[in-house]
Amino acid sequence: WLIANDADLELFSLQNTDYFGKTDAELAEFTDPIYKEAFLLCVETDEKSWQAKTLSRGNEVIPTVNGTKKVYDVIKVPLFKSDGARKGLVVLGRDITERKQAEEEIKIARERLGITNSILRHDITNDLIVINSAVNLFNIEHDPKMLSEIQKQVQKSLDLIERHREQESFIDSHSNLKKIELVPMLNNIIKDFDGIEISISGKGTVYGDNEISSVFENLINNSINHGKATKVDIEINPNEELCEIKVRDNGSGIPDEIKYNVFDKGFFSGESGHTGIGLYVVEQTIRNYGGNIFVEDNQPSGAVFVISLRKGISR
């Protein structure tokens, strides 16, 4: 039999009286099916542990009443009568969910730091090789041009260090974002658009989350529904720090007088305008990623939405 404390009652959404006079097997049947597996996870233990009269310990993921899951450090101590018969089980659980989350965040941070340091070492080493060669040439030929080359490479290394410092600061403040490869994500989106020609050029990796798909879905829908476009070209152009994505269409374009309003909440124009929420959501999502978006004219007709996002670091 088992007696529960307040934490058990909250975890399994039961009344204390529900436990009295019941074996662990009966309690497992008594609980809601959603929690039955979690309950058995808590109370069951290896038969060898019973025979050896030892405790067992491990981390277990338990579903809670509100639908979330928590990680518990669980210790199970079997109890026996003098004749060796099973009497009961003491289960001690400590909520370590936050600790596990912190450990995972530290692991991710270490991986990112390792990549950043690897890139930094590689690039600065290359710069130092150039500087060393320029110094040797200057010592031999006394060519003043070599001094300019040395100065240029030193400044390049300093700029590189500053870019990596900014990158680390961005990652620290956006720990919820992950690296997303743009081409596979875009290919998954465009297969659902029929009757319009969509092309993708270039490739790149950016920081975002699952909502990034909706950004490009909204932009393509905007080109089709409002601009009456028949063709959309998506260009990906990464540079040292950012990744620029241009979504071009051959539609009717956006008049100059409303270009600065299209991202406003509730703004819409023309007969095809609806709630005015689509482009507002697009801009807010991009800003949440630490990026920027604006619109300009395409040639000879249509619109170009230009997105800048932080480039995902890679080895």
Side-chain angles (χ1 to χ4, degrees), residues 13 24 53-54 63 69 83 120 127 146 151 153 187-188 195 204 221 244 256 271 276 286 296:
S13 187
D24 55 340
K53 299 182 182 180
T54 60
K69 292 184 178 180
D83 59 2
L120 193 61
D127 290 344
M146 291 299 100
Q151 186 178 27
Q153 291 299 324
N187 280 328
N188 189 54
N221 275 318
E244 184 181 78
D256 290 340
E271 295 180 359
I286 293 297
E296 60 186 17

mmCIF file of all heavy atoms in Angstrom, residues 13 24 53-54 63 69 83 120 127 146 151 153 187-188 195 204 221 244 256 271 276 286 296:
data_model
loop_
_atom_site.group_PDB
_atom_site.id
_atom_site.type_symbol
_atom_site.label_atom_id
_atom_site.label_comp_id
_atom_site.label_asym_id
_atom_site.label_seq_id
_atom_site.Cartn_x
_atom_site.Cartn_y
_atom_site.Cartn_z
ATOM 1 N N SER A 13 -3.562 14.288 -9.411
ATOM 2 C CA SER A 13 -4.918 14.823 -9.304
ATOM 3 C C SER A 13 -5.845 13.855 -8.575
ATOM 4 O O SER A 13 -6.916 13.490 -9.052
ATOM 5 C CB SER A 13 -5.484 15.136 -10.691
ATOM 6 O OG SER A 13 -6.716 15.803 -10.582
ATOM 7 N N ASP A 24 -0.417 -0.941 -4.795
ATOM 8 C CA ASP A 24 0.067 -0.123 -5.892
ATOM 9 C C ASP A 24 -0.580 -0.532 -7.215
ATOM 10 O O ASP A 24 -0.874 0.298 -8.076
ATOM 11 C CB ASP A 24 1.596 -0.175 -5.994
ATOM 12 C CG ASP A 24 2.123 -1.598 -6.099
ATOM 13 O OD1 ASP A 24 1.382 -2.516 -5.711
ATOM 14 O OD2 ASP A 24 3.266 -1.772 -6.546
ATOM 15 N N LYS A 53 16.580 -6.607 -1.828
ATOM 16 C CA LYS A 53 16.195 -5.620 -0.820
ATOM 17 C C LYS A 53 17.049 -4.362 -0.924
ATOM 18 O O LYS A 53 17.540 -3.829 0.077
ATOM 19 C CB LYS A 53 16.293 -6.211 0.589
ATOM 20 C CG LYS A 53 15.390 -7.414 0.806
ATOM 21 C CD LYS A 53 15.473 -7.935 2.222
ATOM 22 C CE LYS A 53 14.592 -9.164 2.405
ATOM 23 N NZ LYS A 53 14.631 -9.712 3.766
ATOM 24 N N THR A 54 17.248 -3.914 -2.154
ATOM 25 C CA THR A 54 18.018 -2.689 -2.395
ATOM 26 C C THR A 54 17.119 -1.632 -2.988
ATOM 27 O O THR A 54 16.001 -1.908 -3.416
ATOM 28 C CB THR A 54 19.179 -2.954 -3.371
ATOM 29 O OG1 THR A 54 18.644 -3.422 -4.606
ATOM 30 C CG2 THR A 54 20.130 -3.994 -2.809
ATOM 31 N N PRO A 63 4.016 12.846 -16.677
ATOM 32 C CA PRO A 63 3.017 13.820 -17.132
ATOM 33 C C PRO A 63 2.256 14.394 -15.956
ATOM 34 O O PRO A 63 1.944 13.693 -15.001
ATOM 35 C CB PRO A 63 2.099 12.994 -18.043
ATOM 36 C CG PRO A 63 2.249 11.599 -17.564
ATOM 37 C CD PRO A 63 3.653 11.473 -17.056
ATOM 38 N N LYS A 69 5.020 18.037 -18.838
ATOM 39 C CA LYS A 69 5.800 16.924 -18.315
ATOM 40 C C LYS A 69 6.914 17.454 -17.425
ATOM 41 O O LYS A 69 7.514 18.475 -17.717
ATOM 42 C CB LYS A 69 6.386 16.090 -19.451
ATOM 43 C CG LYS A 69 5.330 15.335 -20.249
ATOM 44 C CD LYS A 69 5.962 14.445 -21.301
ATOM 45 C CE LYS A 69 4.899 13.664 -22.063
ATOM 46 N NZ LYS A 69 5.502 12.781 -23.087
ATOM 47 N N ASP A 83 9.212 -12.301 6.999
ATOM 48 C CA ASP A 83 9.319 -13.551 6.258
ATOM 49 C C ASP A 83 9.745 -13.345 4.808
ATOM 50 O O ASP A 83 9.767 -14.285 4.010
ATOM 51 C CB ASP A 83 7.975 -14.298 6.277
ATOM 52 C CG ASP A 83 6.845 -13.478 5.662
ATOM 53 O OD1 ASP A 83 7.119 -12.348 5.190
ATOM 54 O OD2 ASP A 83 5.711 -13.974 5.644
ATOM 55 N N LEU A 120 36.648 31.351 -35.291
ATOM 56 C CA LEU A 120 37.517 32.474 -34.944
ATOM 57 C C LEU A 120 38.991 32.082 -35.062
ATOM 58 O O LEU A 120 39.806 32.812 -35.632
ATOM 59 C CB LEU A 120 37.198 32.942 -33.524
ATOM 60 C CG LEU A 120 37.768 34.282 -33.079
ATOM 61 C CD1 LEU A 120 37.253 35.404 -33.954
ATOM 62 C CD2 LEU A 120 37.408 34.554 -31.619
ATOM 63 N N ASP A 127 44.613 35.162 -41.171
ATOM 64 C CA ASP A 127 45.056 36.557 -41.194
ATOM 65 C C ASP A 127 46.500 36.688 -40.705
ATOM 66 O O ASP A 127 47.295 37.475 -41.251
ATOM 67 C CB ASP A 127 44.140 37.420 -40.330
ATOM 68 C CG ASP A 127 42.759 37.594 -40.946
ATOM 69 O OD1 ASP A 127 42.608 37.323 -42.149
ATOM 70 O OD2 ASP A 127 41.822 37.978 -40.211
ATOM 71 N N MET A 146 53.824 46.960 -48.025
ATOM 72 C CA MET A 146 53.621 45.833 -47.104
ATOM 73 C C MET A 146 53.083 46.305 -45.752
ATOM 74 O O MET A 146 52.335 45.590 -45.078
ATOM 75 C CB MET A 146 54.931 45.064 -46.901
ATOM 76 C CG MET A 146 55.404 44.291 -48.131
ATOM 77 S SD MET A 146 54.236 43.022 -48.676
ATOM 78 C CE MET A 146 53.403 43.859 -50.036
ATOM 79 N N GLN A 151 48.631 46.474 -41.882
ATOM 80 C CA GLN A 151 47.607 47.250 -41.183
ATOM 81 C C GLN A 151 46.204 46.788 -41.575
ATOM 82 O O GLN A 151 45.315 46.661 -40.730
ATOM 83 C CB GLN A 151 47.787 48.736 -41.491
ATOM 84 C CG GLN A 151 46.855 49.635 -40.694
ATOM 85 C CD GLN A 151 47.103 51.104 -40.987
ATOM 86 O OE1 GLN A 151 47.564 51.472 -42.074
ATOM 87 N NE2 GLN A 151 46.803 51.956 -40.028
ATOM 88 N N GLN A 153 45.283 43.783 -42.642
ATOM 89 C CA GLN A 153 44.988 42.460 -42.084
ATOM 90 C C GLN A 153 44.746 42.524 -40.575
ATOM 91 O O GLN A 153 43.911 41.792 -40.043
ATOM 92 C CB GLN A 153 46.141 41.502 -42.385
ATOM 93 C CG GLN A 153 46.278 41.131 -43.845
ATOM 94 C CD GLN A 153 45.046 40.431 -44.385
ATOM 95 O OE1 GLN A 153 44.405 39.653 -43.688
ATOM 96 N NE2 GLN A 153 44.697 40.725 -45.634
ATOM 97 N N ASN A 187 11.413 24.735 -49.625
ATOM 98 C CA ASN A 187 10.923 23.683 -50.516
ATOM 99 C C ASN A 187 9.692 22.999 -49.940
ATOM 100 O O ASN A 187 8.777 22.614 -50.672
ATOM 101 C CB ASN A 187 12.015 22.649 -50.772
ATOM 102 C CG ASN A 187 13.013 23.101 -51.820
ATOM 103 O OD1 ASN A 187 12.660 23.815 -52.752
ATOM 104 N ND2 ASN A 187 14.259 22.699 -51.685
ATOM 105 N N ASN A 188 9.678 22.851 -48.635
ATOM 106 C CA ASN A 188 8.522 22.244 -47.979
ATOM 107 C C ASN A 188 7.286 23.139 -48.084
ATOM 108 O O ASN A 188 6.152 22.645 -48.115
ATOM 109 C CB ASN A 188 8.854 21.967 -46.512
ATOM 110 C CG ASN A 188 7.787 21.153 -45.831
ATOM 111 O OD1 ASN A 188 7.418 20.074 -46.290
ATOM 112 N ND2 ASN A 188 7.255 21.664 -44.730
ATOM 113 N N GLY A 195 -0.343 26.500 -59.340
ATOM 114 C CA GLY A 195 -0.753 27.559 -60.255
ATOM 115 C C GLY A 195 0.129 28.779 -60.238
ATOM 116 O O GLY A 195 -0.241 29.824 -60.791
ATOM 117 N N GLY A 204 21.349 29.264 -47.379
ATOM 118 C CA GLY A 204 21.827 29.894 -46.149
ATOM 119 C C GLY A 204 21.122 29.323 -44.937
ATOM 120 O O GLY A 204 20.094 28.646 -45.045
ATOM 121 N N ASN A 221 1.463 34.241 -50.241
ATOM 122 C CA ASN A 221 0.013 34.464 -50.331
ATOM 123 C C ASN A 221 -0.304 35.918 -50.667
ATOM 124 O O ASN A 221 -1.224 36.212 -51.435
ATOM 125 C CB ASN A 221 -0.661 34.087 -49.018
ATOM 126 C CG ASN A 221 -0.976 32.604 -48.943
ATOM 127 O OD1 ASN A 221 -1.440 32.013 -49.916
ATOM 128 N ND2 ASN A 221 -0.735 32.004 -47.786
ATOM 129 N N GLU A 244 20.514 37.769 -46.182
ATOM 130 C CA GLU A 244 19.467 38.572 -46.807
ATOM 131 C C GLU A 244 18.630 37.684 -47.718
ATOM 132 O O GLU A 244 19.165 36.947 -48.545
ATOM 133 C CB GLU A 244 20.074 39.724 -47.602
ATOM 134 C CG GLU A 244 19.037 40.667 -48.199
ATOM 135 C CD GLU A 244 19.659 41.782 -49.007
ATOM 136 O OE1 GLU A 244 20.064 41.515 -50.171
ATOM 137 O OE2 GLU A 244 19.760 42.912 -48.490
ATOM 138 N N ASP A 256 3.609 53.668 -53.764
ATOM 139 C CA ASP A 256 4.550 54.362 -52.887
ATOM 140 C C ASP A 256 3.884 54.929 -51.642
ATOM 141 O O ASP A 256 4.473 54.941 -50.557
ATOM 142 C CB ASP A 256 5.242 55.499 -53.652
ATOM 143 C CG ASP A 256 6.199 54.982 -54.706
ATOM 144 O OD1 ASP A 256 6.617 53.811 -54.598
ATOM 145 O OD2 ASP A 256 6.524 55.745 -55.645
ATOM 146 N N GLU A 271 -9.575 46.280 -52.827
ATOM 147 C CA GLU A 271 -10.650 45.306 -52.692
ATOM 148 C C GLU A 271 -10.160 43.966 -52.151
ATOM 149 O O GLU A 271 -10.919 43.214 -51.547
ATOM 150 C CB GLU A 271 -11.322 45.085 -54.054
ATOM 151 C CG GLU A 271 -12.034 46.334 -54.595
ATOM 152 C CD GLU A 271 -12.680 46.071 -55.938
ATOM 153 O OE1 GLU A 271 -12.540 44.928 -56.443
ATOM 154 O OE2 GLU A 271 -13.316 46.998 -56.478
ATOM 155 N N GLY A 276 -5.706 42.921 -42.518
ATOM 156 C CA GLY A 276 -4.513 43.730 -42.296
ATOM 157 C C GLY A 276 -3.604 43.149 -41.230
ATOM 158 O O GLY A 276 -2.796 43.855 -40.640
ATOM 159 N N ILE A 286 9.730 38.581 -37.685
ATOM 160 C CA ILE A 286 11.106 38.889 -38.088
ATOM 161 C C ILE A 286 11.829 39.683 -36.996
ATOM 162 O O ILE A 286 13.002 39.430 -36.687
ATOM 163 C CB ILE A 286 11.119 39.669 -39.416
ATOM 164 C CG1 ILE A 286 10.616 38.789 -40.564
ATOM 165 C CG2 ILE A 286 12.519 40.194 -39.726
ATOM 166 C CD1 ILE A 286 11.462 37.580 -40.838
ATOM 167 N N GLU A 296 10.272 47.083 -51.409
ATOM 168 C CA GLU A 296 10.676 48.009 -52.458
ATOM 169 C C GLU A 296 10.079 47.536 -53.781
ATOM 170 O O GLU A 296 9.485 46.451 -53.865
ATOM 171 C CB GLU A 296 12.201 48.102 -52.552
ATOM 172 C CG GLU A 296 12.882 46.783 -52.860
ATOM 173 C CD GLU A 296 14.391 46.875 -52.814
ATOM 174 O OE1 GLU A 296 14.913 47.848 -52.239
ATOM 175 O OE2 GLU A 296 15.055 45.963 -53.347
#
